[in-house]
Amino acid sequence: MLDAAPSVPGNLAVNVVVRDPNATIDGDPFLGPWLAACFDTGINAYAVVGSPNPHVFDAIKKHGGTIVFRPLTPTAAAARQAEALGADILVATGREEGGLLPDGPMGTFTAVPAMVDAVSIPVFAAGGINDARSVTAAFALGAQGVYVGSRFLATKESPAAQAVKDLILDSSGEDLVEVSETQRSLPTPAALRYAAEYAASHDGAPIEQDLMKKGGLRPGMLVGDFDEGVVTVNSGIGVIQDIPTVAELVERLASGIA
């Protein structure tokens, strides 16, 4: 049972991954305790990734939370369902993104207007947002904000290994290799092995399992162990030419808003 807790000041947000649209909170050994701890702490912003789950949405809204929902595969149907369940902001993610790739083929330029036209709540654009030009394009498509990941890896405050930042500066989207159905990576030695295995088998499940056993993205992206880890980034990294502070980067990106 999740009891209401008073909200606390602050801008802290947490990530909530929901893979099963029908799973109950009490029936999930991780999700239930995680949400309970967030509610007890007074967290008031939740970036929900995956499937629109009525149990999760309802619990968050009952505790006064704001929901930023990012479906793993952006569709108009998922957008409308999430809005009906109480999402406050939607994220339209194109296949240009880094991290886990959407199942469908839609890029940012097609995903954003499709979701914007489907709902009445704000839509943020994600996937390949690296500079002011891409921000301008996102707003021209109807987005009211941007959801940026890869570009912030190459900032002074980023906890990514320096070797990762240097690799991003020296690479472009043309260098990315497919290591599974849902992940791409810059060509680290580990990524090249996985890519060869995936090309031969067309089955990324064992590769995903092996990555998880080794710590997910931690070895490659946080530690900088390229012999064991992968480096996943969006396909527009060719425009990344320096490592600014976060404040400098935000100012640059904001200059793209008319």
Side-chain angles (χ1 to χ4, degrees):
M1 180 94 179
L2 299 173
D3 297 321
S7 178
V8 297
N11 297 314
L12 182 64
V14 296
N15 208 50
V16 181
V17 178
V18 181
R19 301 189 184 278
D20 186 345
N22 301 308
T24 62
I25 294 174
D26 293 337
D28 189 304
F30 174 78
L31 186 58
W34 170 241
L35 285 175
C38 292
F39 297 151
D40 288 343
T41 308
I43 302 296
N44 53 21
Y46 298 81
V48 181
V49 182
S51 302
N53 180 303
H55 305 291
V56 173
F57 277 49
D58 185 57
I60 291 174
K61 299 307 287 187
K62 282 182 177 178
H63 287 80
T66 296
I67 298 175
V68 179
F69 178 63
R70 183 169 73 91
L72 284 180
T73 298
T75 64
R80 286 191 289 264
Q81 183 182 5
E83 180 181 33
L85 291 175
D88 298 284
I89 298 170
L90 293 171
V91 181
T93 307
R95 200 168 170 81
E96 298 93 331
E97 75 156 331
L100 294 179
L101 301 173
D103 293 331
M106 295 177 72
T108 305
F109 265 60
T110 49
V112 171
M115 289 182 68
V116 166
D117 290 347
V119 297
S120 59
I121 57 178
V123 173
F124 287 5
I129 310 293
N130 292 313
D131 60 10
R133 293 173 297 178
S134 49
V135 173
T136 299
F139 275 75
L141 293 170
Q144 295 186 40
V146 292
Y147 196 93
V148 183
S150 297
R151 183 59 185 94
F152 281 97
L153 292 172
T155 56
K156 295 187 185 302
E157 295 93 333
S158 166
Q162 185 60 44
V164 171
K165 300 178 186 182
D166 294 339
L167 183 61
I168 291 173
L169 292 184
D170 292 337
S171 303
S172 74
E174 297 175 4
D175 298 314
L176 290 166
V177 296
E178 293 188 1
V179 299
S180 73
E181 292 89 344
T182 62
Q183 287 200 62
R184 292 186 298 246
S185 171
L186 290 175
T188 66
L192 292 174
R193 292 196 304 271
Y194 288 133
E197 179 182 339
Y198 179 57
S201 68
H202 301 290
D203 182 6
I207 295 170
E208 297 283 354
Q209 292 171 3
D210 191 56
L211 282 169
M212 290 303 295
K213 287 179 182 178
K214 292 179 177 178
L217 298 178
R218 186 179 188 279
M221 300 191 72
L222 188 63
V223 178
D225 182 355
F226 294 161
D227 287 329
E228 294 295 330
V230 299
V231 176
T232 175
V233 292
N234 72 44
S235 59
I237 60 166
V239 304
I240 300 177
Q241 302 295 324
D242 64 351
I243 302 178
T245 66
V246 168
E248 290 168 342
L249 177 56
V250 169
E251 185 176 354
R252 291 182 198 174
L253 295 174
S255 71
I257 304 173

